[in-house]
Amino acid sequence: MQIKAEQLQKIMGGNKLFENLQLEVNSGEHVAIVGVNGSGKTTLLQLLAGIDTPDKGRIIKSKEATIGYLHQIPHYLGHSVKEVLEEAFAELYTLKKKMTQLEQEMQSTVTDKILLQYGQIQEQFMLQGGYEVEAQLAMITNGLGLTKMLEQPFSSLSGGEKTKVMLGQILLKKPSILLLDEPTNHLDMQAIEWLEQYVRNFEGIVIVVSHDRHFMNQVAHKIIEIEDGEAFTYNGHYDAFVAQKEAKIEQQFASYEEQQKKIKKMQEAIKRLRQWANEADNAAMHRRAKSMEKALARIERVKKPIPKKKMNLALTMAERSGKEVVQLEGICHEFEQPLFQNSHLAIYFGERVAIVGSNGSGKSTLLKIILGEIAPDRGICNVGSNVKFGYLSQQFEHKNPAIRLIDAFREKVAVSEAEARHILAQFLFYGYDVFKKVKDLSGGEKMRLRLAQLMHEDINVLILDEPTNHLDIEAREVLEDTLASFEGTIIGVSHDRYFLQKIFTKTAWIEEQRMTVFEGDYEWARQKRQELMQQVVEKETSKKLQPTKKELPIDQQIEKLEAKLQASSLGQEQRQKLQQQLENLYERWVEEEDHV
């Protein structure tokens, strides 16, 4: 089985996305597609899925291939989440309905024809996994964290939750070709790790578009980069692609420089030959010059590698804060449900602290408690001396959504319009981009605007809430490099494990209303957490395996207590307790005798 793109050309809005693009993915291959924003990654998935058609070229796939791809979220009015997921088994439920009808018929009449028909349908039902439907449904709902919302109306869910449910439906359909567009966007870490395992074990073709570098490292066998309308294939996971791409650019630049030297020498030789030919009126020299000109024209030019434009981000620390930045003591807080119970966290100057946990565990709430925007129900949050926070929130909201980008920037940064345009250009806002209204900005543009403001604020503690959301890989790398050189304190919430591993050296893990602090990076914390969980499981298993003490018959218990009461050394209080126990035993004895 395979899927191929041959000589694809696609023009959108006058912009040529693809020019003679070639692509081939074979059976069992797991491929990640990367490229700058606007390079056509999602468009390519839509072409492969058959949702869109190329202007030129064709998509070829095996006849038996089935494709799973979430293009848009359908409207399921009156459906619960479970019913939406069960749409994946529509064919199986039709077979089950036929089996039930035949079973009812067989209660009154049994013929060879009905038995044969029932046997054929039952075999088809079994081969398609009909008896495993409930197990499959439980596996997917548990893995993606959908169990609690199964009975909720699908229409009441948020956009992210609906996307997660539809991803579950696609996985339940078990297509032979799985096309995933940013599948980790609305998943928490536990669900992402489960999806990684699922994709690794998936036997068919997987083609994924993602900005999640850790996810691509875990699932991809090949990386296909879309660049200048063409597809370039690199073997290995994402980190291997980065290394190969850097080596390729270095080689290309060396080849370009070498060729430029050769071209320059040929041009100088042609110039000299023409000059000598003119001075000596030599036809042979003219012919030689002409011949060299034709050879020069035939040379296939090596493209000069053009470095991509990147954000020019630089964060400088204001005067340093005191040693103790934040002290959380016995924090308890509820928001619709309990979030923290008696939680403690100490953050000191210069530390990089990651706050991780599942969706809804209270990570963003904790940041707001630190910022003083929310007061905890119980406990104390102390902020140290001379602490100056810089906050990058998940959502960039402005009180006046119709305000222009440049005006929103100048509200925070007191500079002239000309200077503002110069600064914003460093964040990839060129020309008329600066006059866009804030409400019309994409998620990535809003994040870049906030970063531009943050760069000019007087801060020594950075509070980051999902800072890599909406940023492409190049922008994430610039942000990571900038944060690595920041001399102040960083407190961050993120689902981007690549980002977490690269920046943070201390991890606060929120789970089951408790906060566990690990003095190490994300991967170290994850390993230690698993070890702690394993110890708890082993302890509980050990308790269950221990034989329970068999209770003595009541008459023997009475004898033992009476013997104890004979001791003259008993204190009055102890004697009273034993006498009370003895009375209770006599009552139980009488009741048992009456019952007998």
Side-chain angles (χ1 to χ4, degrees):
M1 187 193 303
Q2 65 173 193
I3 186 166
K4 273 176 88 173
E6 283 190 350
Q7 303 292 318
L8 288 194
Q9 186 185 89
K10 185 68 179 177
I11 299 170
M12 293 187 73
N15 180 33
K16 191 177 282 186
L17 281 180
F18 309 133
E19 180 64 38
N20 297 326
L21 183 139
Q22 298 278 118
L23 181 90
E24 183 174 332
V25 184
N26 296 309
S27 182
E29 285 187 333
H30 297 170
V31 172
I33 297 175
V34 299
V36 298
N37 285 354
S39 60
K41 301 184 293 294
T42 296
T43 302
L44 181 58
L45 285 189
Q46 291 172 358
L47 293 172
L48 293 172
I51 290 164
D52 198 358
T53 53
D55 299 322
K56 286 183 184 176
R58 59 179 182 162
I59 303 293
I60 304 166
K61 61 179 184 287
S62 307
K63 285 182 181 178
E64 70 277 13
T66 54
I67 290 179
Y69 175 59
L70 177 60
H71 172 48
Q72 55 187 14
I73 298 170
H75 294 288
Y76 284 106
L77 295 174
H79 282 60
S80 69
V81 167
K82 187 178 181 183
E83 287 168 341
V84 171
L85 290 168
E86 287 176 336
E87 288 281 320
F89 305 120
E91 193 176 329
L92 281 171
Y93 286 153
T94 302
L95 290 175
K96 192 175 182 180
K97 189 177 179 182
K98 287 179 183 176
M99 285 168 62
T100 305
Q101 288 171 349
L102 289 171
E103 285 165 4
Q104 289 171 351
E105 282 184 41
M106 285 190 287
Q107 287 177 1
S108 56
T109 309
V110 180
T111 66
D112 290 344
K113 184 181 177 183
I114 291 174
L115 283 171
L116 178 66
Q117 191 179 357
Y118 184 83
Q120 288 172 340
I121 293 170
Q122 188 182 39
E123 185 180 7
Q124 194 179 351
F125 182 76
M126 186 173 66
L127 288 172
Q128 291 182 22
Y131 294 110
E132 298 157 17
V133 165
E134 289 304 319
Q136 286 292 316
L137 191 61
M139 180 188 75
I140 298 294
T141 53
N142 288 336
L144 293 177
L146 302 172
T147 309
K148 289 181 180 177
M149 58 178 78
L150 283 176
E151 302 308 320
Q152 290 181 28
F154 182 76
S155 56
S156 71
L157 302 183
S158 68
E161 288 170 335
K162 286 178 180 177
T163 302
K164 194 157 64 166
V165 172
M166 294 311 300
L167 173 62
Q169 189 194 80
I170 288 167
L171 298 183
L172 286 167
K173 286 180 179 177
K174 293 186 176 177
S176 57
I177 300 173
L178 198 54
L179 305 179
L180 301 173
D181 194 354
E182 299 292 355
T184 64
N185 266 10
H186 302 288
L187 304 181
D188 59 25
M189 284 181 183
Q190 191 175 341
I192 291 170
E193 287 174 2
W194 176 87
L195 182 62
E196 282 172 354
Q197 189 65 36
Y198 182 92
V199 171
R200 277 200 298 267
N201 296 332
F202 187 77
E203 294 178 356
I205 288 172
V206 178
I207 303 175
V208 59
V209 167
S210 180
H211 287 129
D212 188 329
R213 293 158 291 175
H214 194 285
F215 183 78
M216 291 190 282
N217 273 340
Q218 294 296 313
V219 305
H221 307 152
K222 288 198 307 192
I223 304 290
I224 296 175
E225 184 184 29
I226 307 299
E227 188 175 34
D228 298 329
E230 296 181 68
F232 300 94
T233 302
Y234 301 82
N235 290 320
H237 54 36
Y238 179 78
D239 283 347
F241 150 72
V242 171
Q244 291 174 57
K245 179 72 187 291
E246 285 175 357
K248 179 184 171 183
I249 290 172
E250 284 178 16
Q251 178 59 45
Q252 192 178 346
F253 196 77
S255 299
Y256 170 79
E257 287 193 320
E258 190 62 36
Q259 190 182 66
Q260 288 301 304
K261 287 177 187 176
K262 184 180 177 182
I263 289 169
K264 190 176 180 183
K265 283 181 181 178
M266 288 181 74
Q267 288 171 338
E268 287 172 353
I270 291 165
K271 188 178 177 181
R272 281 197 305 272
L273 282 170
R274 285 197 173 282
Q275 187 178 346
W276 293 341
N278 290 333
E279 287 174 358
D281 195 19
N282 189 320
M285 282 189 178
H286 272 296
R287 284 194 298 274
R288 197 178 299 168
K290 194 74 176 171
S291 177
M292 282 190 76
E293 275 185 334
K294 287 179 180 177
L296 182 61
R298 285 196 299 270
I299 291 176
E300 190 175 336
R301 298 297 200 267
V302 175
K303 284 183 181 178
K304 182 181 181 180
I306 301 169
K308 291 172 186 170
K309 289 180 178 177
K310 292 184 177 181
M311 285 192 301
N312 184 14
L313 180 58
L315 286 166
T316 53
M317 183 185 73
E319 56 182 325
R320 64 161 286 169
S321 68
K323 183 181 177 183
E324 294 182 351
V325 175
V326 176
Q327 297 285 326
L328 299 174
E329 296 176 9
I331 294 291
C332 299
H333 196 74
E334 291 187 12
F335 183 74
E336 296 180 355
Q337 60 181 12
L339 295 175
F340 321 115
Q341 294 294 331
N342 196 30
S343 294
H344 303 267
L345 177 62
I347 300 172
Y348 299 97
F349 176 76
E351 286 191 325
R352 275 102 166 92
V353 182
I355 299 167
V356 299
S358 60
N359 287 351
S361 61
K363 301 182 298 294
S364 295
T365 302
L366 186 64
L367 293 186
K368 288 177 180 176
I369 288 172
I370 291 171
L371 287 163
E373 293 180 10
I374 294 175
D377 296 336
R378 290 189 302 281
I380 300 167
C381 174
N382 285 326
V383 175
S385 62
N386 200 35
V387 168
K388 297 176 180 178
F389 289 122
Y391 179 42
L392 187 67
S393 68
Q394 274 193 65
Q395 305 295 330
F396 181 90
E397 300 298 338
H398 197 280
K399 59 189 176 188
N400 178 14
I403 193 171
R404 300 183 307 172
L405 184 157
I406 192 167
D407 298 328
F409 174 74
R410 292 177 67 200
E411 279 184 343
K412 296 278 186 182
V413 185
V415 292
S416 67
E417 184 169 308
E419 181 63 16
R421 293 189 69 164
H422 175 71
I423 294 168
L424 288 169
Q426 296 174 40
F427 290 83
L428 311 184
F429 294 114
Y430 303 112
Y432 287 102
D433 287 349
V434 300
F435 301 120
K436 282 183 180 178
K437 292 180 180 178
V438 167
K439 66 179 181 181
D440 298 327
L441 298 179
S442 67
E445 286 172 329
K446 286 178 179 177
M447 191 62 74
R448 282 191 277 127
L449 170 58
R450 183 68 192 108
L451 283 168
Q453 292 174 333
L454 206 58
M455 191 176 79
H456 290 81
E457 290 180 15
D458 192 25
I459 59 175
N460 53 29
V461 179
L462 270 172
I463 305 266
L464 309 173
D465 194 358
E466 299 290 357
T468 60
N469 276 8
H470 311 297
L471 294 180
D472 61 21
I473 290 173
E474 287 75 17
R476 291 180 189 203
E477 288 171 350
V478 171
L479 178 61
E480 285 163 358
D481 291 342
T482 304
L483 293 177
S485 62
F486 181 66
E487 295 175 350
T489 308
I490 303 175
I491 306 166
V493 166
S494 180
H495 287 122
D496 185 338
R497 293 159 298 164
Y498 203 98
F499 173 74
L500 287 174
Q501 189 65 21
K502 198 167 180 180
I503 298 300
F504 298 94
T505 54
K506 182 173 175 177
T507 308
W509 207 300
I510 302 172
E511 194 167 29
E512 295 180 353
Q513 302 164 32
R514 299 285 177 188
M515 189 187 303
T516 308
V517 180
F518 299 92
E519 297 290 338
D521 61 28
Y522 169 73
E523 281 299 331
W524 188 86
R526 180 173 168 272
Q527 186 181 337
K528 289 295 175 188
R529 172 177 163 269
Q530 287 175 339
E531 288 173 8
L532 287 172
M533 289 170 70
Q534 185 62 32
Q535 286 171 12
V536 170
V537 170
E538 287 172 0
K539 197 173 180 180
E540 288 178 356
T541 306
S542 176
K543 279 182 183 176
K544 287 177 184 177
L545 293 174
Q546 284 177 0
T548 53
K549 288 183 180 178
K550 194 173 180 181
E551 191 177 46
L552 289 170
I554 292 179
D555 57 341
Q556 290 182 28
Q557 290 183 53
I558 289 171
E559 282 179 23
K560 284 184 77 173
L561 276 177
E562 285 177 339
K564 282 184 181 179
L565 283 165
Q566 298 301 317
S568 57
S569 59
L570 280 175
Q572 188 177 351
E573 190 178 339
Q574 196 175 4
R575 186 178 294 277
Q576 285 176 349
K577 283 184 180 178
L578 289 174
Q579 284 172 341
Q580 183 62 50
Q581 287 178 28
L582 188 60
E583 286 177 23
N584 292 340
L585 283 171
Y586 272 121
E587 283 179 15
R588 278 178 59 195
W589 194 24
V590 171
E591 285 174 7
E592 285 185 12
E593 289 297 319
D594 289 345
H595 184 69
V596 171

